[in-house]
């Protein structure tokens, strides 16, 4: 078992004992998503920490999008519940890159690839994505790359 999955399970147990409903609900959901990912595909497998972080990142993104949708619909209570779950998931994810750090990585990748113009976006993304994995949302990365290439 990966260290991160063990931590999630231990924290779930602690949250249940502490009767922390938000944390319990969120960790159950996260572990379910991890287990579903483990049995997806032709053969069941054990996920490593990197793969678990990808699953948790995807779940956190779902929570953010749902919170936004609820807020836009005027359902503030549900939006807050989604934000609370997102905050719990953030505890298990690597720290997000600041705008300055992301800009520096993108600039270095553009220099490295010698890319110019919006058509070169794909080759820059191939270099940037492994460097920011789990530390910046894909849409943020794409927006920064596009901004740098069109400037």
């Amino acid at each position: 078992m990966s260290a991160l999955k063990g931590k999630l399970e231990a924290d779930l147990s602690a949250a249940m004992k502490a009767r922390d409903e938000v944390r319990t609900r969120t960790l159950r959901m996260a572990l379910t998503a991890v287990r579903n990912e483990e049995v997806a595909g032709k053969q069941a497998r054990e996920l490593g920490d990197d793969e678990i972080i990808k699953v948790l990142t995807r779940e956190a993104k779902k929570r953010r999008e749902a919170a936004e949708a609820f807020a836009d619909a005027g359902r503030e209570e549900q939006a807050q519940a989604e934000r609370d779950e997102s905050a719990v998931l953030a505890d298990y994810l690597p720290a997000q890159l600041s705008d300055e750090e992301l800009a520096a990585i993108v600039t270095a990748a553009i220099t490295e690839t010698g890319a110019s113009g919006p058509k070169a976006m794909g080759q820059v993304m191939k270099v940037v994505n492994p460097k920011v994995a789990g530390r910046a949302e894909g849409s943020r990365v794409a927006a920064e790359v596009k901004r740098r290439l069109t400037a």
Side-chain angles (χ1 to χ4, degrees):
M1 178 186 302
S2 79
L4 184 55
K5 186 175 177 186
K7 181 172 175 29
L8 286 167
E9 289 175 351
D11 289 355
L12 171 61
S13 181
M16 289 167 71
K17 287 176 185 163
R19 301 194 186 284
D20 183 340
E21 289 180 30
V22 173
R23 200 164 193 79
T24 299
R25 178 179 67 228
T26 306
L27 293 175
R28 275 191 177 138
M29 171 275 308
L31 283 165
T32 299
V34 168
R35 289 185 189 111
N36 287 343
E37 189 70 22
E38 287 178 334
V39 298
K42 288 183 169 39
Q43 189 173 343
R45 67 200 198 297
E46 187 80 25
L47 295 182
D49 283 352
D50 291 346
E51 293 169 305
I52 291 174
I53 287 173
K54 283 182 185 164
V55 172
L56 295 179
T57 301
R58 192 170 55 229
E59 291 299 320
K61 182 179 179 191
K62 285 180 192 174
R63 296 298 157 296
R64 277 193 303 278
E65 290 171 351
E68 209 172 280
F70 281 132
D72 290 347
R75 298 174 67 186
E76 197 48 48
E77 199 173 298
Q78 287 95 337
Q80 189 56 51
E82 295 292 338
R83 282 190 214 101
D84 293 344
E85 288 183 10
S86 184
V88 171
L89 289 173
D91 294 345
Y92 299 93
L93 295 172
Q96 295 293 296
L97 292 171
S98 70
D99 290 340
E100 295 78 28
E101 292 169 319
L102 180 59
I105 291 171
V106 170
T107 303
I110 290 172
T111 307
E112 182 183 321
T113 59
S116 64
K119 289 184 177 168
M121 191 165 167
Q123 72 187 99
V124 175
M125 290 294 286
K126 280 181 193 165
V127 174
V128 172
N129 277 335
K131 293 178 182 174
V132 300
R135 298 184 304 151
E137 205 171 282
S139 57
R140 238 182 98 204
V141 175
E144 182 63 24
V145 169
K146 190 173 189 178
R147 193 173 70 78
R148 295 284 169 165
L149 288 175
T150 55

